[in-house]
Amino acid sequence: MRKALITGITGQDGSYLAELLLSKDYKVYGVRRRTSTPNFENVAHIQNDIHWLSGDLTDLASLIEAVRQSGPDEVYNLAAQSFVAASWPQPLATGQITALSVTNMLEAVRIAKPDARFYQASSSEMFGKVVETPQTEATPFYPRSPYGVAKVYAHWITVNYRESFDMFACSGILFNHESPRRGLEFVTRKVTDAVARIKLGLQQELRMGNLDSLRDWGFAGDYVKAMWLMLQQDRPDDYVISTGEMHSVRELLQIAFSYVGLNYEDYVVIDPQFVRPAEVDLLLGDCAKAKEKLDWRLEVGFEQLIHMMVDADLERVKRQAAVEASVVV
Protein backbone atom coordinates (compact mmCIF):
# COMPACT_ATOMS: atom_id res chain seq x y z
CA MET A 1 0.00 0.00 0.00
CA ARG A 2 1.41 3.35 -1.07
CA LYS A 3 1.35 6.17 1.47
CA ALA A 4 0.70 9.86 0.86
CA LEU A 5 1.04 12.85 3.17
CA ILE A 6 -1.14 15.90 2.40
CA THR A 7 -0.92 19.37 3.92
CA GLY A 8 -4.01 21.50 3.47
CA ILE A 9 -6.10 18.32 3.34
CA THR A 10 -9.25 19.99 4.72
CA GLY A 11 -9.26 22.57 1.93
CA GLN A 12 -10.88 22.29 -1.47
CA ASP A 13 -7.95 20.66 -3.28
CA GLY A 14 -6.88 18.55 -0.33
CA SER A 15 -10.30 16.99 0.05
CA TYR A 16 -10.61 16.07 -3.63
CA LEU A 17 -7.04 14.74 -3.66
CA ALA A 18 -7.67 12.64 -0.56
CA GLU A 19 -10.73 11.12 -2.24
CA LEU A 20 -8.71 10.32 -5.35
CA LEU A 21 -5.86 8.70 -3.43
CA LEU A 22 -8.19 6.67 -1.22
CA SER A 23 -9.90 5.39 -4.37
CA LYS A 24 -6.46 4.20 -5.49
CA ASP A 25 -5.92 2.35 -2.19
CA TYR A 26 -3.39 4.77 -0.74
CA LYS A 27 -2.93 5.12 2.98
CA VAL A 28 -3.60 8.84 3.35
CA TYR A 29 -2.11 10.99 6.10
CA GLY A 30 -3.36 14.51 6.71
CA VAL A 31 -1.39 17.20 8.50
CA ARG A 32 -3.51 19.67 10.43
CA ARG A 33 -2.71 22.47 12.82
CA ARG A 34 -4.36 22.15 16.20
CA THR A 35 -7.13 24.70 16.65
CA SER A 36 -9.95 25.10 19.15
CA THR A 37 -12.54 24.88 16.34
CA PRO A 38 -11.30 22.46 13.65
CA ASN A 39 -13.19 22.48 10.35
CA PHE A 40 -13.64 19.08 8.72
CA GLU A 41 -16.57 20.05 6.49
CA ASN A 42 -14.87 19.16 3.20
CA VAL A 43 -13.60 15.80 4.43
CA ALA A 44 -16.41 14.78 6.81
CA HIS A 45 -17.40 11.89 4.54
CA ILE A 46 -13.86 10.45 4.55
CA GLN A 47 -12.61 11.76 7.91
CA ASN A 48 -12.33 8.30 9.44
CA ASP A 49 -10.34 7.01 6.45
CA ILE A 50 -7.60 9.62 6.94
CA HIS A 51 -4.73 9.18 9.39
CA TRP A 52 -4.38 12.52 11.15
CA LEU A 53 -1.08 14.03 12.21
CA SER A 54 -0.45 17.25 14.10
CA GLY A 55 1.85 19.80 12.49
CA ASP A 56 2.37 23.47 11.82
CA LEU A 57 3.80 24.78 8.57
CA THR A 58 5.88 27.34 10.44
CA ASP A 59 7.40 24.72 12.76
CA LEU A 60 10.04 22.57 11.06
CA ALA A 61 10.36 20.10 13.95
CA SER A 62 6.65 19.22 13.79
CA LEU A 63 6.85 18.68 10.03
CA ILE A 64 9.90 16.44 10.34
CA GLU A 65 7.99 14.37 12.90
CA ALA A 66 4.93 14.18 10.61
CA VAL A 67 7.08 12.92 7.75
CA ARG A 68 8.84 10.42 10.00
CA GLN A 69 5.57 9.07 11.38
CA SER A 70 3.94 8.69 7.97
CA GLY A 71 6.95 7.54 5.93
CA PRO A 72 5.23 8.74 2.74
CA ASP A 73 5.93 7.71 -0.82
CA GLU A 74 4.35 10.98 -1.95
CA VAL A 75 3.99 14.39 -0.27
CA TYR A 76 1.45 16.92 -1.52
CA ASN A 77 2.05 20.40 -0.13
CA LEU A 78 -1.25 22.21 -0.65
CA ALA A 79 -1.50 24.30 2.52
CA ALA A 80 -1.13 28.07 2.18
CA GLN A 81 -2.71 31.42 2.86
CA SER A 82 -4.49 31.15 -0.47
CA PHE A 83 -6.82 34.16 -0.61
CA VAL A 84 -5.18 36.79 -2.81
CA ALA A 85 -7.13 39.74 -1.40
CA ALA A 86 -6.01 38.91 2.15
CA SER A 87 -2.36 39.07 1.16
CA TRP A 88 -2.30 42.88 1.02
CA PRO A 89 -3.44 43.48 4.63
CA GLN A 90 -1.45 40.41 5.75
CA PRO A 91 1.75 40.41 3.65
CA LEU A 92 4.05 39.08 6.37
CA ALA A 93 1.76 36.21 7.33
CA THR A 94 1.33 35.40 3.64
CA GLY A 95 5.09 35.32 3.15
CA GLN A 96 5.60 33.13 6.20
CA ILE A 97 2.85 30.63 5.40
CA THR A 98 2.76 30.62 1.59
CA ALA A 99 6.49 31.05 0.90
CA LEU A 100 8.84 30.13 3.75
CA SER A 101 6.75 27.20 4.97
CA VAL A 102 7.45 25.46 1.65
CA THR A 103 11.13 25.46 2.58
CA ASN A 104 10.14 23.87 5.88
CA MET A 105 8.24 21.12 4.07
CA LEU A 106 11.08 20.49 1.62
CA GLU A 107 13.58 20.36 4.50
CA ALA A 108 11.35 17.95 6.42
CA VAL A 109 11.21 15.63 3.40
CA ARG A 110 14.93 15.98 2.69
CA ILE A 111 15.80 15.10 6.30
CA ALA A 112 13.20 12.45 7.10
CA LYS A 113 12.23 10.82 3.77
CA PRO A 114 14.45 12.07 0.91
CA ASP A 115 13.16 9.48 -1.58
CA ALA A 116 9.57 10.69 -1.23
CA ARG A 117 8.08 12.40 -4.26
CA PHE A 118 7.07 15.99 -3.56
CA TYR A 119 4.33 18.11 -5.11
CA GLN A 120 4.17 21.88 -4.61
CA ALA A 121 1.01 23.83 -5.36
CA SER A 122 2.16 26.73 -7.53
CA SER A 123 -0.29 29.28 -8.90
CA SER A 124 -1.15 31.20 -12.05
CA GLU A 125 -1.05 34.34 -9.87
CA MET A 126 2.72 34.14 -10.30
CA PHE A 127 2.23 35.39 -13.88
CA GLY A 128 0.37 38.48 -12.63
CA LYS A 129 0.90 41.27 -15.15
CA VAL A 130 1.33 38.79 -17.95
CA VAL A 131 4.12 39.30 -20.45
CA GLU A 132 2.63 36.88 -22.97
CA THR A 133 -0.67 35.13 -23.63
CA PRO A 134 -1.27 32.27 -23.19
CA GLN A 135 1.06 31.50 -20.31
CA THR A 136 3.25 28.40 -20.43
CA GLU A 137 5.85 26.83 -18.15
CA ALA A 138 8.43 29.13 -19.79
CA THR A 139 6.52 32.40 -19.35
CA PRO A 140 8.36 34.83 -17.01
CA PHE A 141 6.66 35.61 -13.71
CA TYR A 142 5.42 39.13 -12.86
CA PRO A 143 3.37 38.77 -9.65
CA ARG A 144 0.97 41.57 -8.70
CA SER A 145 0.16 40.69 -5.09
CA PRO A 146 2.01 39.58 -1.95
CA TYR A 147 0.37 36.20 -2.52
CA GLY A 148 1.78 35.99 -6.05
CA VAL A 149 5.23 37.02 -4.82
CA ALA A 150 5.11 34.35 -2.10
CA LYS A 151 4.11 31.69 -4.62
CA VAL A 152 7.05 32.65 -6.86
CA TYR A 153 9.42 32.04 -3.95
CA ALA A 154 7.73 28.72 -3.19
CA HIS A 155 7.97 27.67 -6.83
CA TRP A 156 11.66 28.46 -7.20
CA ILE A 157 12.68 26.95 -3.86
CA THR A 158 11.05 23.72 -5.05
CA VAL A 159 13.05 23.87 -8.27
CA ASN A 160 16.17 24.63 -6.23
CA TYR A 161 15.73 21.59 -3.98
CA ARG A 162 15.16 19.42 -7.04
CA GLU A 163 18.39 20.61 -8.60
CA SER A 164 20.45 20.88 -5.40
CA PHE A 165 19.50 17.63 -3.68
CA ASP A 166 18.26 15.49 -6.58
CA MET A 167 14.80 15.34 -5.02
CA PHE A 168 11.76 14.26 -7.01
CA ALA A 169 10.04 17.65 -6.60
CA CYS A 170 7.38 18.98 -8.96
CA SER A 171 5.35 22.18 -9.13
CA GLY A 172 1.90 22.32 -10.63
CA ILE A 173 1.19 25.83 -11.91
CA LEU A 174 -2.55 25.58 -11.47
CA PHE A 175 -4.85 28.20 -12.94
CA ASN A 176 -8.07 29.08 -11.12
CA HIS A 177 -9.95 25.95 -10.14
CA GLU A 178 -13.27 25.94 -8.34
CA SER A 179 -15.93 23.66 -6.88
CA PRO A 180 -18.77 23.62 -4.35
CA ARG A 181 -16.02 23.21 -1.72
CA ARG A 182 -14.38 26.53 -2.58
CA GLY A 183 -14.24 29.04 0.28
CA LEU A 184 -17.03 31.62 0.36
CA GLU A 185 -14.50 34.46 0.08
CA PHE A 186 -13.45 33.44 -3.46
CA VAL A 187 -15.26 35.18 -6.29
CA THR A 188 -16.86 32.13 -7.90
CA ARG A 189 -18.28 30.86 -4.63
CA LYS A 190 -19.22 34.38 -3.53
CA VAL A 191 -21.32 34.61 -6.69
CA THR A 192 -22.96 31.18 -6.50
CA ASP A 193 -23.74 31.57 -2.80
CA ALA A 194 -25.30 34.99 -3.45
CA VAL A 195 -27.33 33.61 -6.38
CA ALA A 196 -28.76 30.94 -4.09
CA ARG A 197 -29.59 33.43 -1.35
CA ILE A 198 -31.12 35.94 -3.75
CA LYS A 199 -33.20 33.24 -5.45
CA LEU A 200 -34.51 32.12 -2.06
CA GLY A 201 -35.27 35.69 -0.94
CA LEU A 202 -32.56 35.78 1.74
CA GLN A 203 -30.34 38.43 0.11
CA GLN A 204 -31.10 41.54 -1.93
CA GLU A 205 -27.86 42.42 -3.71
CA LEU A 206 -24.34 41.26 -4.51
CA ARG A 207 -21.47 43.72 -4.16
CA MET A 208 -18.62 43.12 -6.61
CA GLY A 209 -15.39 44.70 -7.85
CA ASN A 210 -13.94 44.51 -11.38
CA LEU A 211 -16.31 42.62 -13.65
CA ASP A 212 -13.95 42.71 -16.64
CA SER A 213 -11.18 40.56 -15.14
CA LEU A 214 -10.55 37.48 -17.27
CA ARG A 215 -9.66 34.12 -15.77
CA ASP A 216 -9.04 30.54 -16.84
CA TRP A 217 -11.44 28.62 -14.56
CA GLY A 218 -11.59 24.83 -14.21
CA PHE A 219 -12.95 22.18 -11.85
CA ALA A 220 -10.79 21.31 -8.83
CA GLY A 221 -11.71 17.63 -9.09
CA ASP A 222 -10.07 17.52 -12.53
CA TYR A 223 -6.98 19.39 -11.35
CA VAL A 224 -6.05 17.07 -8.48
CA LYS A 225 -5.77 14.24 -11.00
CA ALA A 226 -2.97 16.23 -12.64
CA MET A 227 -1.19 16.55 -9.28
CA TRP A 228 -1.20 12.78 -8.88
CA LEU A 229 -0.07 12.20 -12.47
CA MET A 230 2.95 14.50 -11.99
CA LEU A 231 4.28 12.23 -9.25
CA GLN A 232 3.84 9.09 -11.37
CA GLN A 233 6.32 10.18 -14.06
CA ASP A 234 9.86 8.93 -14.53
CA ARG A 235 11.35 12.41 -14.05
CA PRO A 236 10.21 15.39 -11.96
CA ASP A 237 9.08 18.49 -13.85
CA ASP A 238 6.74 21.48 -13.65
CA TYR A 239 3.42 21.73 -15.47
CA VAL A 240 0.79 24.34 -16.26
CA ILE A 241 -2.69 22.99 -15.48
CA SER A 242 -5.49 24.99 -17.08
CA THR A 243 -8.48 24.84 -19.44
CA GLY A 244 -7.10 27.09 -22.16
CA GLU A 245 -10.30 29.18 -22.04
CA MET A 246 -10.86 32.65 -20.60
CA HIS A 247 -14.08 33.91 -19.06
CA SER A 248 -14.85 37.28 -17.48
CA VAL A 249 -16.35 37.84 -14.06
CA ARG A 250 -19.29 39.37 -15.93
CA GLU A 251 -19.79 36.10 -17.83
CA LEU A 252 -19.60 34.20 -14.56
CA LEU A 253 -22.42 36.39 -13.23
CA GLN A 254 -24.51 35.95 -16.37
CA ILE A 255 -24.26 32.16 -16.27
CA ALA A 256 -24.92 31.86 -12.54
CA PHE A 257 -27.91 34.23 -12.37
CA SER A 258 -29.53 33.09 -15.61
CA TYR A 259 -29.36 29.48 -14.41
CA VAL A 260 -31.99 30.34 -11.78
CA GLY A 261 -33.96 32.65 -14.08
CA LEU A 262 -32.56 35.98 -12.87
CA ASN A 263 -30.77 38.93 -14.54
CA TYR A 264 -27.51 39.73 -12.76
CA GLU A 265 -27.80 43.44 -13.63
CA ASP A 266 -30.81 43.70 -11.30
CA TYR A 267 -28.77 42.63 -8.27
CA VAL A 268 -25.06 43.38 -8.75
CA VAL A 269 -23.62 46.59 -7.26
CA ILE A 270 -20.06 47.71 -8.00
CA ASP A 271 -18.18 48.42 -4.77
CA PRO A 272 -14.67 50.00 -4.94
CA GLN A 273 -13.56 48.14 -1.82
CA PHE A 274 -13.47 44.92 -3.85
CA VAL A 275 -11.08 46.32 -6.48
CA ARG A 276 -7.53 45.07 -5.95
CA PRO A 277 -4.68 47.56 -5.33
CA ALA A 278 -2.83 46.02 -8.31
CA GLU A 279 -5.11 44.17 -10.71
CA VAL A 280 -4.35 41.05 -12.69
CA ASP A 281 -6.32 41.70 -15.86
CA LEU A 282 -6.18 38.30 -17.52
CA LEU A 283 -4.83 34.80 -17.05
CA LEU A 284 -4.93 32.12 -19.74
CA GLY A 285 -2.97 28.89 -19.48
CA ASP A 286 -1.51 26.66 -22.16
CA CYS A 287 -1.60 23.11 -20.77
CA ALA A 288 -0.26 21.39 -23.91
CA LYS A 289 2.68 19.93 -21.97
CA ALA A 290 0.39 18.35 -19.36
CA LYS A 291 -1.86 16.91 -22.05
CA GLU A 292 1.08 15.43 -23.93
CA LYS A 293 3.30 14.16 -21.12
CA LEU A 294 0.73 13.37 -18.43
CA ASP A 295 -2.12 12.41 -20.75
CA TRP A 296 -4.27 14.68 -18.58
CA ARG A 297 -7.76 15.65 -19.74
CA LEU A 298 -10.54 17.92 -18.52
CA GLU A 299 -13.95 16.43 -17.80
CA VAL A 300 -15.97 19.41 -16.51
CA GLY A 301 -16.55 22.58 -18.58
CA PHE A 302 -16.99 26.12 -17.26
CA GLU A 303 -20.78 26.38 -17.55
CA GLN A 304 -21.22 22.89 -16.08
CA LEU A 305 -18.96 23.90 -13.19
CA ILE A 306 -20.95 27.04 -12.38
CA HIS A 307 -24.25 25.15 -12.57
CA MET A 308 -22.80 22.51 -10.22
CA MET A 309 -21.82 25.20 -7.72
CA VAL A 310 -25.18 26.98 -7.88
CA ASP A 311 -27.03 23.69 -7.34
CA ALA A 312 -24.86 22.86 -4.32
CA ASP A 313 -25.33 26.31 -2.79
CA LEU A 314 -29.09 26.23 -3.35
CA GLU A 315 -29.27 22.91 -1.53
CA ARG A 316 -27.02 24.09 1.29
CA VAL A 317 -28.83 27.42 1.82
CA LYS A 318 -32.24 25.68 1.80
CA ARG A 319 -30.98 23.23 4.40
CA GLN A 320 -29.57 25.99 6.59
CA ALA A 321 -32.78 28.02 6.32
CA ALA A 322 -34.84 24.98 7.34
CA VAL A 323 -32.63 24.38 10.39
CA GLU A 324 -32.83 28.04 11.42
CA ALA A 325 -36.61 28.01 11.01
CA SER A 326 -36.95 24.92 13.20
CA VAL A 327 -34.84 26.57 15.92
CA VAL A 328 -37.05 29.68 15.86
CA VAL A 329 -40.19 27.55 16.16
Side-chain angles (χ1 to χ4, degrees), residues 9 18 22 26-30 43-52:
I9 194 170
L22 287 169
Y26 277 68
K27 187 173 185 179
V28 176
Y29 291 85
V43 293
H45 59 300
I46 54 173
Q47 185 175 343
N48 294 333
D49 297 320
I50 296 168
H51 301 266
W52 296 96

Side-chain angles (χ1 to χ4, degrees), residues 60-318:
L60 176 59
S62 70
L63 298 179
I64 292 173
E65 184 61 22
V67 174
R68 281 182 175 154
Q69 286 185 36
S70 57
D73 300 291
E74 298 168 8
V75 175
Y76 296 88
N77 188 42
L78 309 184
Q81 189 299 98
S82 58
F83 187 43
V84 176
S87 71
W88 277 282
Q90 301 176 34
L92 298 180
T94 300
Q96 185 71 35
I97 298 167
T98 306
L100 293 178
S101 68
V102 180
T103 309
N104 284 339
M105 277 306 304
L106 285 162
E107 272 292 281
V109 172
R110 185 183 69 83
I111 292 168
K113 192 66 165 60
D115 63 335
R117 297 189 169 200
F118 183 89
Y119 172 84
Q120 166 58 22
S122 287
S123 167
S124 60
E125 287 287 330
M126 300 188 303
F127 295 120
K129 189 175 181 179
V130 298
V131 299
E132 66 178 8
T133 299
Q135 294 88 56
T136 72
E137 293 81 4
T139 301
F141 300 137
Y142 194 148
R144 294 272 281 171
S145 65
Y147 170 80
V149 172
K151 280 292 187 180
V152 169
Y153 172 91
H155 179 86
W156 281 117
I157 198 66
T158 302
V159 173
N160 184 261
Y161 268 66
R162 180 170 71 216
E163 296 177 349
S164 299
F165 303 112
D166 196 29
M167 291 175 63
F168 194 107
C170 302
S171 284
I173 306 174
L174 271 57
F175 280 64
N176 296 66
H177 47 289
E178 319 297 324
S179 76
R181 300 177 191 175
R182 191 58 140 154
L184 287 167
E185 68 273 22
F186 291 87
V187 67
T188 49
R189 188 75 193 290
K190 177 180 176 179
V191 168
T192 60
D193 175 69
V195 166
R197 292 182 178 280
I198 290 170
K199 180 64 177 178
L200 297 172
L202 302 173
Q203 186 171 321
Q204 303 304 314
E205 65 179 24
L206 170 60
R207 306 187 79 83
M208 298 287 292
N210 182 9
L211 303 189
D212 297 318
S213 290
L214 295 163
R215 292 292 185 272
D216 185 327
W217 276 300
F219 173 51
D222 287 337
Y223 284 38
V224 299
K225 296 173 186 174
M227 298 177 188
W228 177 76
L229 286 168
M230 289 179 208
L231 299 195
Q232 312 314 307
Q233 305 306 302
D234 292 333
R235 297 173 59 85
D237 206 347
D238 306 321
Y239 298 87
V240 163
I241 304 300
S242 64
T243 70
E245 298 179 3
M246 271 194 308
H247 302 274
S248 67
V249 175
R250 193 181 307 278
E251 186 179 353
L252 162 64
L253 290 165
Q254 290 171 337
I255 292 171
F257 275 89
S258 64
Y259 184 54
V260 296
L262 300 175
N263 182 354
Y264 83 93
E265 294 176 319
D266 295 334
Y267 302 97
V268 173
V269 177
I270 303 302
D271 189 334
Q273 74 168 306
F274 295 115
V275 177
R276 294 180 178 182
E279 186 60 81
V280 174
D281 296 317
L282 66 90
L283 292 171
L284 177 65
D286 180 349
C287 61
K289 179 178 175 181
K291 288 182 177 180
E292 178 187 350
K293 294 193 173 184
L294 305 180
D295 195 27
W296 175 73
R297 296 292 182 269
L298 290 162
E299 295 182 14
V300 178
F302 179 66
E303 189 166 337
Q304 181 184 356
L305 169 63
I306 301 307
H307 290 175
M308 176 200 305
M309 293 175 68
V310 171
D311 284 337
D313 277 324
L314 278 168
E315 184 63 31
R316 179 184 57 84
V317 174
K318 285 179 185 176

